[in-house]
Amino acid sequence: MLKSIKTKIIATVTVLFVIGITIMTTISSLQVKDRTQDTVIQSSEALVGGMSNIAENFLGQYGKGIEFLSTAKSLQSSDSNEAFRQFNEEMQPFLAIYPDVSSVYFALPDKSVMIYPNTDLGESFDPTTREWYERAATVLVEVAWSKPYVDAASGEWVITASKAVMADSKMIGVVALDIQLSKLDEMISSTEIGYEGIPYILDSEGNVISHPTLKGENVKERPDMKEVYASDSGEVRFKNEEGVDRLNIFSTIPDFGWKVGAVYEEKHIAKTANEMRNSMIIIAAIIVFATFAALYFVIKQIVKPISSMKDVMNTVSNGDLTVLANISTKDEIGDLGQHFNTMIHQTKDVITTVQQSAKNVLLNSESLSAIAEETSASSMEVSYAINEIANGAAKSAEDAELVAERADRLGKQIEKIIEKADMMNEIAHKTGAMNTEGKERMNEMKHSFTNYESDLRSMSVVIETLSEKVNAIGGVMQTITDISAQTNLLALNASIEAARAGEHGKGFAVVAEEVRKLAEQSSLSTDQVQATILELQAEYKIVTNNMKKTIGNFQQQTVIVNETESTFSTITSLMEKMQTSIEEVTSEIDRVVAYKNEVSETIHTMAATSEETAAACEEVSASTDEQLHAIQSVAQSAETLTKLSEELSIAVEKFKI
């Protein structure tokens, strides 16, 4: 089952798909978890800020109320009895406005105190020693707040706000309010913060003012709360006693040092991510199942032609070539089916051809066996006759070799004479060629000397012409020098005339000065050119003298060359006569050699013919023996071929075409 292509493809695709879905689900879950935590932190910071504002507003309204109460006319009366009477009348509407106030105090420096609602605290009660009185007396103009404490009567958390009552810049008493924090606790506890978070309020000492289960406890020494009190705001991650991961987000109420925050269990924050992950896993499982089903049916259709091809090939492997692959798909499997059918057709053609060839081979091998037997008998008779001819040819070859040996000795003597004659003839030819080449070199040298002399004379004429032109240039330069001198004189006269003209002649004086400078520069340049011309004239004289000497030398060398040419002519005449004599001797020797070669060739031809005849007879005899053996081998091969033809026929008949 696991070896089938269909199973392998489905398993591979399914595994890859599951891996991809798993990776995608894991990454998405982690991203959702991280983003959820970021969202919770951001929203919690806003909620904590809102709770902090609630607490500030809650306490702030009572702060404003006590400030208003401290300015009441009834409390500023100099008559304490009248003040207390009016205080009792005003407190009822005041408490109606501020229902969370449990008691209102008004204490005087003489230790007398008025409490509303009226409560008997005993004669020993001294309000001036209370924290709320001392703080108000210290700050005077500001509201003083006590630390939160548990009211002995109600068992609820209470905070006291006090304010000095001033008259003519002098404190005449202190008014105080006991504010119950249960309303604040209710407001904070009712805050919806999501993810099953728990809001809380702690005072500056770590006492829990608001919390569903820890209210009234002091938690400042807990490890996570130490981090909370170490900064004004932020977030703390910790484990509780049960080992549950939690997240604490907090801020601080500035004027009181209270901590307002919310605590979450991280598993609740990750709940959304987990739910999404579970949903994705369910969806992925459904997709995998649907993909598996689709792949099963699609691959089944794809693999079906392969199964058909497998059955056809199994039939062909048993020798049945009458079957064909019936595959009509247009893909690679369809191409494979077409190629398979083509292979079957070609194989059938080959088998048919082999069957016909086997029959023909069988017939021809039988004919070949009969012919081989007849040829074997004839070859034995021919072999005997050839042996007789070979013996006679061998005797003739021995006599011819003796005559050829003597003729070869004569030929060697003549060849030595020919070598000497050829050597003399070659020397004569080389000497004549060298003599001819020497004459040609002398003619070229003579012609060259004539050309050099003509060129030197032309150069001499050109140099004389150049001398005349240089002299002419000298005359022109003298004329330019005279013109420069006159120009200089004119410039001087112009300067004088310009000086006479005064202011009107200044411009002309400048021009005259420039003309004078130009004339001086022309004079200097002319002097330089004249010096150069004098140098050219001097060098011209030197070149002219050298040219005359060179022409004289060339004339002397021309005479010597003419004499050498006459000598070479005499040598040439003598060499021609000697070469003619050598050629006549060589011609006679060549005739003797020709006669010798004809005789030698005739003898060699006779010997070679005899040897060739003997060798041919031996070769024919050997060939006859070999032919006899070959015919016997052919006969054996024909028998073997017959057997093979029969076996081939039997093997081919296995195929059904």
Side-chain angles (χ1 to χ4, degrees):
M1 182 64 180
L2 295 177
K3 294 182 178 180
S4 67
I5 296 175
K6 178 171 64 177
T7 304
K8 290 179 180 178
I9 294 174
I10 293 174
T12 302
V13 173
T14 303
V15 169
L16 293 176
F17 193 80
V18 169
I19 291 172
I21 291 294
T22 303
I23 294 172
M24 182 184 70
T25 303
T26 303
I27 293 173
S28 301
S29 299
L30 293 175
Q31 290 180 346
V32 170
K33 182 178 179 180
D34 293 339
R35 291 180 182 177
T36 302
Q37 288 185 349
D38 293 340
T39 303
V40 169
I41 291 171
Q42 292 175 1
S43 61
S44 297
E45 289 175 351
L47 287 170
V48 170
M51 290 191 296
S52 178
N53 292 332
I54 291 173
E56 288 183 11
N57 293 333
F58 177 80
L59 297 174
Q61 65 178 342
Y62 290 101
K64 292 179 181 179
I66 199 169
E67 285 181 353
F68 172 75
L69 190 61
S70 67
T71 60
K73 297 295 183 181
S74 60
L75 299 182
Q76 297 179 0
S77 175
S78 58
D79 186 356
S80 58
N81 293 326
E82 180 64 21
F84 285 159
R85 185 186 64 78
Q86 293 183 0
F87 174 76
N88 285 327
E89 291 178 354
E90 293 176 356
M91 286 307 100
Q92 187 173 359
F94 180 80
L95 292 179
I97 298 173
Y98 299 101
D100 295 318
V101 176
S102 60
S103 300
V104 181
Y105 302 87
F106 179 48
L108 298 177
D110 60 1
K111 301 180 182 180
S112 59
V113 61
M114 176 62 187
I115 301 175
Y116 186 87
N118 189 19
T119 304
D120 186 8
L121 299 178
E123 294 181 359
S124 63
F125 179 73
D126 184 3
T128 59
T129 60
R130 299 294 179 176
E131 180 186 2
W132 53 269
Y133 187 94
E134 291 176 349
R135 285 191 177 186
T138 302
V139 297
L140 293 179
V141 296
E142 296 181 359
V143 177
W145 296 90
S146 69
K147 296 179 180 178
Y149 59 93
V150 178
D151 184 38
S154 63
E156 297 291 337
W157 281 95
V158 176
I159 187 171
T160 300
S162 58
K163 176 72 169 65
V165 179
M166 306 295 293
D168 298 329
S169 301
K170 183 180 178 181
M171 188 186 80
I172 61 174
V174 173
V175 64
L177 305 175
D178 285 342
I179 306 167
Q180 293 182 351
L181 298 178
S182 57
K183 181 64 176 179
L184 178 61
D185 179 23
E186 183 181 345
M187 294 170 64
I188 296 299
S189 298
S190 63
T191 303
E192 295 290 339
I193 61 176
Y195 299 100
E196 300 184 19
I198 301 174
Y200 67 87
I201 295 179
L202 310 177
D203 67 3
S204 60
E205 299 297 327
N207 296 310
V208 180
I209 297 173
S210 177
H211 190 278
T213 59
L214 300 177
K215 187 175 180 180
E217 296 183 14
N218 189 293
V219 295
K220 192 172 185 178
E221 296 302 320
R222 281 179 23 178
D224 57 307
M225 288 304 172
K226 287 182 179 179
E227 295 185 34
V228 170
Y229 278 94
S231 58
D232 292 335
S233 62
E235 59 187 71
V236 177
R237 297 179 186 273
F238 65 99
K239 291 181 180 293
N240 63 3
E241 293 80 359
E242 292 79 15
V244 178
D245 292 326
R246 292 195 171 191
L247 174 64
N248 187 353
I249 300 172
F250 65 93
S251 66
T252 304
I253 300 175
D255 295 335
F256 299 92
W258 292 5
K259 300 295 181 180
V260 180
V263 178
Y264 301 89
E265 289 188 7
E266 292 197 4
K267 66 180 181 179
H268 294 150
I269 297 175
K271 184 177 180 181
T272 302
N274 294 333
E275 290 176 352
M276 180 176 290
R277 180 194 60 201
N278 295 334
S279 299
M280 293 181 68
I281 290 173
I282 294 170
I283 294 171
I286 295 172
I287 293 174
V288 168
F289 179 77
T291 304
F292 179 85
L295 282 173
Y296 178 81
F297 289 107
V298 171
I299 294 173
K300 182 178 180 182
Q301 295 299 320
I302 294 174
V303 176
K304 186 176 180 181
I306 298 178
S307 299
S308 176
M309 177 70 73
K310 177 183 175 183
D311 294 337
V312 172
M313 293 181 71
N314 187 30
T315 303
V316 172
S317 65
N318 294 325
D320 188 356
L321 300 179
T322 59
V323 295
L324 294 175
N326 186 15
I327 299 174
S328 58
T329 58
K330 302 298 183 180
D331 54 10
E332 289 81 357
I333 298 175
D335 294 338
L336 178 63
Q338 295 295 327
H339 294 318
F340 179 79
N341 292 337
T342 302
M343 182 190 71
I344 292 297
H345 288 303
Q346 292 178 351
T347 304
K348 288 169 68 176
D349 294 339
V350 171
I351 296 299
T352 302
T353 303
V354 170
Q355 286 178 343
Q356 294 176 355
S357 299
K359 293 177 181 179
N360 293 331
V361 169
L362 182 59
L363 296 174
N364 292 328
S365 62
E366 292 175 351
S367 301
L368 184 61
S369 297
I371 294 170
E373 291 177 357
E374 295 177 358
T375 305
S376 178
S378 300
S379 296
M380 293 177 66
E381 296 178 356
V382 171
S383 177
Y384 179 77
I386 292 299
N387 287 329
E388 294 295 328
I389 296 171
N391 293 329
K395 179 64 177 173
S396 298
E398 292 176 359
D399 297 337
E401 286 177 359
L402 180 62
V403 175
E405 183 180 354
R406 294 175 181 176
D408 287 338
R409 291 178 183 175
L410 177 61
K412 289 179 181 179
Q413 296 297 325
I414 295 173
E415 286 175 358
K416 290 181 180 179
I417 296 171
I418 291 172
E419 288 177 0
K420 300 296 183 182
D422 289 340
M423 189 179 299
M424 292 176 63
N425 193 15
E426 184 177 355
I427 292 171
H429 280 292
K430 288 182 179 179
T431 305
M434 292 175 66
N435 183 54
T436 303
E437 185 176 355
K439 288 178 68 178
E440 290 176 355
R441 295 290 182 270
M442 290 302 299
N443 289 330
E444 290 176 359
M445 186 181 294
K446 182 178 180 181
H447 184 265
S448 176
F449 276 119
T450 302
N451 291 336
Y452 274 129
E453 184 178 4
S454 175
D455 292 340
L456 287 172
R457 292 185 184 280
S458 298
M459 289 173 63
S460 177
V461 172
V462 171
I463 291 171
E464 289 177 356
T465 304
L466 179 63
S467 175
E468 293 175 358
K469 291 182 179 179
V470 168
N471 291 332
I473 291 171
V476 173
M477 295 308 299
Q478 184 61 42
T479 303
I480 293 172
T481 302
D482 295 339
I483 293 171
S484 297
Q486 291 178 2
T487 303
N488 195 7
L489 182 61
L490 289 174
L492 179 63
N493 291 333
S495 298
I496 295 170
E497 293 298 327
R500 290 177 180 176
E503 291 295 329
H504 298 289
K506 284 185 177 181
F508 189 69
V510 173
V511 175
E513 180 63 20
E514 294 297 326
V515 171
R516 184 183 65 77
K517 291 179 180 179
L518 183 62
E520 289 177 353
Q521 292 176 359
S522 298
S523 178
L524 291 173
S525 299
T526 304
D527 292 340
Q528 293 176 356
V529 173
Q530 275 186 333
T532 302
I533 290 171
L534 291 174
E535 292 176 358
L536 288 173
Q537 287 176 346
E539 292 175 357
Y540 152 73
K541 291 179 181 179
I542 294 171
V543 171
T544 302
N545 293 330
N546 291 334
M547 289 293 294
K548 289 180 180 179
K549 291 179 181 179
T550 303
I551 291 171
N553 292 332
F554 268 108
Q555 288 176 350
Q556 292 177 1
Q557 290 176 2
T558 301
V559 173
I560 294 170
V561 168
N562 290 331
E563 293 174 354
T564 304
E565 183 181 11
S566 176
T567 302
F568 267 108
S569 297
T570 304
I571 292 171
T572 300
S573 177
L574 295 173
M575 289 299 298
E576 289 176 353
K577 292 179 180 179
M578 185 180 68
Q579 187 173 358
T580 301
S581 299
I582 291 171
E583 287 177 353
E584 290 176 355
V585 172
T586 301
S587 177
E588 293 298 327
I589 293 172
D590 288 338
R591 291 193 186 96
V592 174
V593 171
Y595 294 143
K596 187 271 297 181
N597 288 337
E598 291 177 359
V599 174
S600 180
E601 286 177 2
T602 302
I603 294 170
H604 281 296
T605 300
M606 291 174 63
T609 302
S610 298
E611 291 177 355
E612 288 175 359
T613 302
C617 291
E618 291 176 356
E619 289 177 359
V620 170
S621 179
S623 298
T624 304
D625 293 337
E626 290 178 359
Q627 185 178 10
L628 183 59
H629 291 298
I631 290 170
Q632 292 174 352
S633 299
V634 169
Q636 294 176 356
S637 299
E639 292 177 359
T640 303
L641 186 59
T642 301
K643 293 180 181 179
L644 293 174
S645 299
E646 293 174 352
E647 293 176 357
L648 180 61
S649 298
I650 294 171
V652 171
E653 286 175 356
K654 293 181 180 179
F655 291 97
K656 183 179 179 182
I657 57 175

